[in-house]
Amino acid sequence: MPSHDVLVIGAGLAGQRAALAAAEQGVSVGIVSKVHPVRSHSNAAQGGINAALNPDDTWESHAFDTVKGSDYLGDQDAIEIMAKEAPEEILHMEHLGVTFHRNAEGKLGTRAFGGASAARTYYVADITGQAIMHVLYEQLMKYSEQITRYEEWFSSSLAIDENGECCGVVTRNVADGSMELFQAKSVILATGGSGQIWKPTTNALICTGDGIAMAYRVGAKLMDMEMIQYHPTTLAGKGFLITEGARGEGALLLNKNGERFMEKYAPNKMELASRDVVSRAEQTEINEGRGFPDGTVALDITVVPKKRIHEALREIVLVGRDFAGVDITREPIHIKPGNHYTMGGVKTDVEGRTDIPGLYAAGEVACVSVHGGNRLGANSLLDTLIFGKHSGRDAAARALRTDWAKPSGKVLEDEQAMVDDINGREKGSGRRVSEIKLELGQTMDSKVAVFRDEAGITEALETVRRLKEEAKTAYIDDHGQVFNQDLMGAIELGYMLDCAECSCVAALERKESRGAQYRTDYPERNDEEWLKHIDLERTDEGPEISYSEVTITQWQPEARTY
Amino acid sequence: MADYTIKVRRYQPESGKPAYWEEFGVELDPSLSVLDGLLQAKDRDDGSLAVRCSCRAAICGSCGMKINGQSGLGCQTQIGEAQELADKKAAAVGGAAEGNVITIEPMGNMPVIKDLVTDMESTHWTKIRRVTPWLLPYGEPPEREYIVEPESMVDITQSMACIQCGACVSSCLSMEVDPLFIGPAALAKAYRFVGDPRDAETTERLTDLAHDPHGIYDCTHCFSCVDACPKGVAPMDQIMRLRRKAGENGIEDPNSGHSHEMAFVKIIEKKGTLDESLLLQESFAPGVLGKLLPTKRAIKEMIGSLPTAVRGIKTGKMRSLPKLIPGVHHKLPGNAQDEVKAIYKHAEEHNEEFNLYIKGEEGDEEAAVEERLEPAAAPGGEEASNG
Ligand SMILES: Cc1cc2nc3c(=O)[nH]c(=O)nc-3n(C[C@H](O)[C@H](O)[C@H](O)COP(=O)(O)OP(=O)(O)OC[C@H]3O[C@@H](n4cnc5c(N)ncnc54)[C@H](O)[C@@H]3O)c2cc1C
Ligand code: SF4
Ligand code: SF4
Ligand code: FES
């Protein structure tokens, strides 16, 4: 049985940062990832990472923008920590080797991003996430004595001891199919978001909500699950993202009549209003017939100087060329709002602790909540690093004062039985896993998206519950041990359906419009009744709803205009 | 929507059977990718078809594979284009002009684990670790950020753009001959530190890479990695930069000759020539039976790598431009040949290398060339291949 003081599940930015922070405390660390760490989804982050590092900027301003961006649902204690620690963290990353963009004086340079009152986004061309993640991976290689890497190992169930504390994880070696119970004093979930529940999405195929569902299944609370971000600029059909950096560099949004429609919706911030605001504006234009026939509006990047495009938006030039056949330096590109980010997740405190002792969560899988109803661009990478660091440290501290608990072997047996059950299903005995995923994705994208209402969400919830039944008999083709992606796909489908159910239940429950949750049947924000988080806990009948307070430190809710 | 046949090189390790080919019919829009085709086959027909993939957007580096014999990313290759290439290849050897199958194989120079999944740990990651792939800074970090030339960060961002997909390794000729060769990806990674002004061990790194018989002098300059790389990292350029820096630092090549002799023998065997011009032509325009079929990217990448060639000429290692690209230069569309010369001259005069990240910096000259080239070359390089 492999054992580590601290076991990190997931090796994106949050997981790698947590592993390094834990190792610094002198404990033994293991880090597990179902794909090779550098394949993690954090590498998709193009735009950058926020910090009030510039002497003219203040952490209060960053914090306030985040609070306002969250539509006052973010917890202000957590937001304060994130904004205060951001500058030091960026410098730390720079010292480790991240090749951040420099200004003419050779100092760190910034770009503008949506919803921010100052240009405080630090970046590496448009490969910021990739650049930071590869540098963190360099550090993992450097500290390979302290940190054991389990690359291409798939975790599927958490082990809880008789005291209700988390003490390990069942994990499958993808290469040979062997399953092991990993023992740990602290387990940190850093498994990323659940975007694959929607189709199309900007998220990678691996973003299937594994950690959210694993935590939920052992009784941890989930929070803000209704808050799903639709990014304003994605390619229709394929879901590829055009970074907000493009608008940060000055690109315009135009409807089919060539009107810069943001003038109507956000006269001050225009294209750089918060994402929920811009996505709704676009969807309104499209719904009211001012979009293009393919259900899109246009993003005009040609107004950005070519030199600047080639320097700062090169990845987008490639995305346009390779995936849309459009030269963005010469013509506008058609875009629409597309599923992008899971604001909700496993409920944690500011040290990453969940409701279950010994179980931590950080990054997109977690809900601290710094993003509340709507995440600001370039705040997510920051969230992964800051709370990855906090979780790593606290998990290590816990490990140092805790004795080994003995996980019961039952969880491994149960897991084996589950795998055998999937393997034993006859071809044709039910639906194909891929069919169920497709139906789920399309349902969620049409009913639990930018605009929602009771009838639509109810329908989606019913569909999800039917799909959950169908998933029980869904069959797979691959019955081997080596690299059985088919089997993992079936297990992931289970996670996706749990997360989807929770998102529907929470969206139905919140009878107001706030941030990413826009209910056409309740179009106003209602602070009196709904300035609170929706928490969900698993029962056999489905998620049980409770509420928790939003922490307010210094910014009282106000009307939100851009 | 269109119908395609993809022919996949399969290997199911638990079956006890050797590798075999299997054809799948798929139906998708030509603008979708080869990976989309594979995933459709996997979803509809056979879930046991193994292929690593995640982002579908050429950013995670999972889906390296050989498509019609060329190393690249499945998700970045449009299936329509792959079909065109398959058809052209078939036509060139007197086969049918259309409806040919698209062949898909696992990457080369790596053991296969299952179907398109290769063992990158033993061939790629061990080599990455070989180059001490982390920053070795001078003492304690400064209070604020390191102050460095903005251009230096842009410069190494080209090698930072590497997504560790292994396509270059898959295509590397030297690696084929000398499996111990550190290889294009790891050496590009090494440049990321050598070129980083924050790193304190530049000389040590260079000495190490120059003295290793499988190090920077083991590269035969075949351009395959430049052509294969989906992210414009141009690993060979990074290797040439390492060599130049080693030279500037007075670091000799102690194994001179020895290690790449073998590779050259192999190339001669394979290509029947040691004319670098032909090598260049081969790698950018994989001609079938002497016919030139330059791809859109090949022309672009070639222009990108010209400055390396410029440097080669300066040190007397290569021939001059007209001889360098005999097959290509008289076939470049329109006035592109003049443009190529202009870039060439510019680089020579300024004694500089181009970097993809600062393309367009000076009055947009280079970017402009790219544009002019592209429309003509785009429809599969028809014009270019007629001659
Ligand atoms: C296209 C795109 C662009 C973005 N741009 C920006 C931006 O510019 N700025 C910004 O701040 N944010 C951006 N974001 C958001 C940001 O990238 C993500 O929220 C963030 O990277 C998530 O990091 P993470 O570490 O939490 O998870 P991830 O990077 O998703 O990593 C999850 C890890 O968990 C592992 N894992 C998952 N399940 C299992 C399992 N069952 N067993 C073992 N391992 C598992 C995975 O292998 C992976 O290593 C962007 C997102 C997208 C999709
Ligand atoms: S140029 Fe050098 S490194 Fe690149 S493929 Fe050829 S031999 Fe390998
Ligand atoms: S250099 Fe290019 S081809 Fe080689 S691993 Fe990096 S991205 Fe892939
Ligand atoms: S799937 Fe990520 S590079 Fe192809």
Side-chain angles (χ1 to χ4, degrees), chain A residues 170-335:
Chain A
V170 179
T171 300
R172 177 186 179 93
N173 184 350
V174 178
D176 66 12
S178 60
M179 292 216 291
E180 300 230 38
L181 177 55
F182 281 54
Q183 188 186 16
K185 292 179 180 173
S186 309
V187 173
I188 304 177
L189 291 170
T191 50
S194 58
Q196 279 297 319
I197 297 168
W198 283 261
K199 197 176 162 79
T201 173
T202 63
N203 284 205
L205 297 167
I206 56 171
C207 302
T208 45
D210 303 10
I212 302 178
M214 274 191 267
Y216 174 70
R217 288 177 184 182
V218 295
K221 278 202 177 102
L222 307 183
M223 188 165 92
D224 297 350
M225 286 298 287
E226 69 281 23
M227 297 302 181
I228 301 297
Q229 181 164 79
Y230 268 63
H231 192 290
T233 52
T234 68
L235 293 184
K238 307 185 188 180
F240 290 129
L241 181 80
I242 306 290
T243 173
E244 189 162 310
R247 280 170 290 140
E249 301 289 345
L252 307 176
L253 287 170
L254 307 172
N255 63 20
K256 76 166 182 205
N257 308 323
E259 293 155 354
R260 197 175 165 194
F261 56 85
M262 284 312 294
E263 281 167 1
K264 280 184 290 186
Y265 304 91
N268 297 320
K269 297 296 284 185
M270 303 289 274
E271 281 80 3
L272 288 177
S274 268
R275 288 180 176 172
D276 57 327
V277 175
V278 182
S279 286
R280 267 195 300 280
E282 290 175 3
Q283 198 62 51
T284 307
E285 292 294 304
I286 296 164
N287 293 353
E288 293 178 359
R290 291 183 297 279
F292 295 96
D294 58 345
T296 61
V297 291
L299 177 71
D300 185 0
I301 310 178
T302 63
V303 296
V304 181
K306 254 186 199 173
K307 167 186 167 206
R308 187 64 191 152
I309 296 182
H310 283 286
E311 178 186 83
L313 298 172
R314 182 172 168 260
E315 192 62 36
I316 293 308
V317 176
L318 298 181
V319 167
R321 185 194 77 187
D322 294 340
F323 300 109
V326 171
D327 178 353
I328 60 150
T329 64
R330 303 166 137 222
E331 54 181 318
I333 187 164
H334 286 195
I335 51 86

Side-chain angles (χ1 to χ4, degrees), chain A residues 533-551:
Chain A
H533 298 288
I534 296 174
D535 297 348
L536 300 176
E537 203 174 335
R538 202 199 85 89
T539 69
D540 287 340
E541 285 73 52
E544 186 178 274
I545 297 168
S546 58
Y547 307 101
S548 56
E549 296 267 298
V550 173
T551 310

Side-chain angles (χ1 to χ4, degrees), chain B residues 86-104:
Chain B
D87 289 343
K88 267 191 201 140
K89 282 198 152 182
V93 291
E98 55 189 79
N100 296 284
V101 299
I102 299 166
T103 60
I104 304 172

Side-chain angles (χ1 to χ4, degrees), chain B residues 281-293:
Chain B
Q281 174 184 335
E282 256 305 304
S283 52
F284 279 106
V288 183
L289 304 181
K291 282 221 174 157
L292 183 72
L293 307 168

Side-chain angles (χ1 to χ4, degrees), chain A residues 291 330 426 479 560:
Chain A
R330 303 166 137 222
E426 291 286 315
H479 302 291
R560 186 161 161 266

Side-chain angles (χ1 to χ4, degrees), chain A residues 346-369:
Chain A
V346 185
K347 180 184 172 92
T348 73
D349 67 10
V350 295
E351 303 304 336
R353 293 180 285 231
T354 68
D355 295 335
I356 296 176
L359 182 64
Y360 293 75
E364 197 169 335
V365 62
C367 182
V368 188
S369 135

Side-chain angles (χ1 to χ4, degrees), chain B residues 280-360:
Chain B
L280 187 59
Q281 174 184 335
E282 256 305 304
S283 52
F284 279 106
V288 183
L289 304 181
K291 282 221 174 157
L292 183 72
L293 307 168
T295 60
K296 181 164 74 170
R297 186 157 92 214
I299 293 181
K300 222 167 4 177
E301 296 289 357
M302 181 157 72
I303 290 172
S305 46
L306 275 176
T308 313
V310 174
R311 214 156 296 284
I313 291 156
K314 282 197 161 167
T315 55
K317 279 190 185 157
M318 266 197 178
R319 292 141 191 263
S320 61
L321 173 72
K323 286 193 184 157
L324 193 66
I325 42 173
V328 174
H329 82 276
H330 63 273
K331 293 188 181 97
L332 285 179
N335 59 350
Q337 177 59 22
D338 296 336
E339 303 280 7
V340 170
K341 278 192 183 146
I343 299 178
Y344 198 88
K345 190 155 162 275
H346 174 96
E348 212 158 18
E349 281 168 8
H350 291 67
N351 187 27
E352 68 183 19
E353 292 180 51
F354 288 119
N355 179 305
L356 287 160
Y357 276 89
I358 45 177
K359 233 180 217 176

